[in-house]
Amino acid sequence: MSVSLHTVARRRTLAAVGAVAALALTLAACGSSEGSDSDGSSMPGMDHGSVGASVPATPGAAFNDADVKFAQQMIPHHQQAVEMAKLADGRAADAEIKELAAAIEEAQDPEINTMKGWLTSWGKPLPESSSSMGDMPGMDHGSDAGSGMPGMMSDEDMSDLEGARGKAFDKKFAQLMIGHHEGAVTMAEDERKNGSNADAKKLAGAVITAQTAEITKMNKIIARL
């Protein structure tokens, strides 16, 4: 039985449309598996263990002064925690301290990038910083007086930690990091209370959960050292 040219052309058109639709579904599936959930739960660093690129603020999402303050202050606060964690290499003796330091560095680096991305998308300035922790805002203050960031280590604290080795380092690291974490929790609680940006408030909640758990762990480490 012969088939008209019109029928052949129609079949070819339908086949092409089907192929395009299949390709679109495949690309959509790939995008959803690699991106973040609509609620931001897949944001890098949110579980204090994942590593990823900076995640910008949701386009058009509202933010207020509390959100900006949270990001501008938590960035250098996290940066100091990362510097403290890096000191564990070659100094720490306790296995749990080594693991904790690695986890802090792995988690907080992506969070720093995330918050920088927010400030950029909001058109707000990044906090001043330099390669020297002593030149970073708040790095030369042992309290929140002047720096506005509770839990920040003083230059003397950082110097003492850098000079410690073995068990002395382990104990000092845990003691100082507990105070540092408590400061971060205070800042995150303020964001949860006064912020308006959903992404920032979600990150603040993750900081509270993760760092409270790490405080408990470090108290146990100190008790057995």
Side-chain angles (χ1 to χ4, degrees):
M1 181 173 61
S2 62
V3 180
S4 67
L5 292 176
H6 175 73
T7 300
V8 172
R10 184 170 182 274
R11 288 177 179 175
R12 288 178 177 174
T13 300
L14 290 174
V17 171
V20 171
L23 177 60
L25 289 173
T26 300
L27 292 174
C30 291
S32 63
S33 64
E34 293 174 1
S36 61
D37 295 335
S38 59
D39 64 357
S41 60
S42 297
M43 186 182 299
M46 288 300 283
D47 61 356
H48 273 62
S50 61
V51 178
S54 172
V55 175
T58 302
F63 66 91
N64 61 15
D65 290 344
D67 300 315
V68 175
K69 177 182 176 182
F70 173 70
Q72 288 178 334
Q73 294 192 342
M74 193 62 82
I75 287 171
H77 203 276
H78 269 22
Q79 286 173 328
Q80 188 179 64
V82 170
E83 288 298 311
M84 293 169 70
K86 287 180 177 179
L87 291 177
D89 186 23
R91 294 177 175 83
D94 187 81
E96 282 192 284
I97 290 292
K98 292 178 181 178
E99 291 174 1
L100 182 64
I104 289 171
E105 184 175 351
E106 182 181 15
Q108 296 196 22
D109 259 338
E111 290 176 351
I112 290 168
N113 290 332
T114 293
M115 290 183 285
K116 285 181 177 180
W118 292 345
L119 291 173
T120 298
S121 68
W122 295 340
K124 299 298 181 179
L126 297 176
E128 294 180 5
S129 63
S130 71
S131 59
S132 171
M133 297 305 290
D135 294 335
M136 191 173 294
M139 291 301 176
D140 57 349
H141 296 283
S143 68
D144 59 334
S147 71
M149 292 177 279
M152 293 294 284
M153 299 297 104
S154 66
D155 287 343
E156 183 179 358
D157 290 329
M158 294 296 289
S159 180
D160 288 347
L161 184 61
E162 186 175 5
R165 296 289 188 281
K167 186 174 181 179
F169 175 89
D170 298 333
K171 190 169 185 178
K172 186 175 292 293
F173 176 87
Q175 290 172 333
L176 293 177
M177 192 63 81
I178 285 173
H180 202 272
H181 274 19
E182 287 174 342
V185 169
T186 297
M187 294 163 65
E189 288 174 340
D190 182 71
E191 165 61 19
R192 293 278 287 178
K193 179 181 178 181
N194 300 311
S196 67
N197 183 268
D199 294 329
K201 294 178 76 169
K202 184 173 287 291
L203 177 57
V207 168
I208 292 170
T209 299
Q211 297 202 18
T212 298
E214 289 173 350
I215 288 170
T216 299
K217 182 175 183 178
M218 286 185 285
N219 276 319
K220 292 179 179 179
I221 292 175
I222 290 174
R224 66 170 173 75
L225 286 177

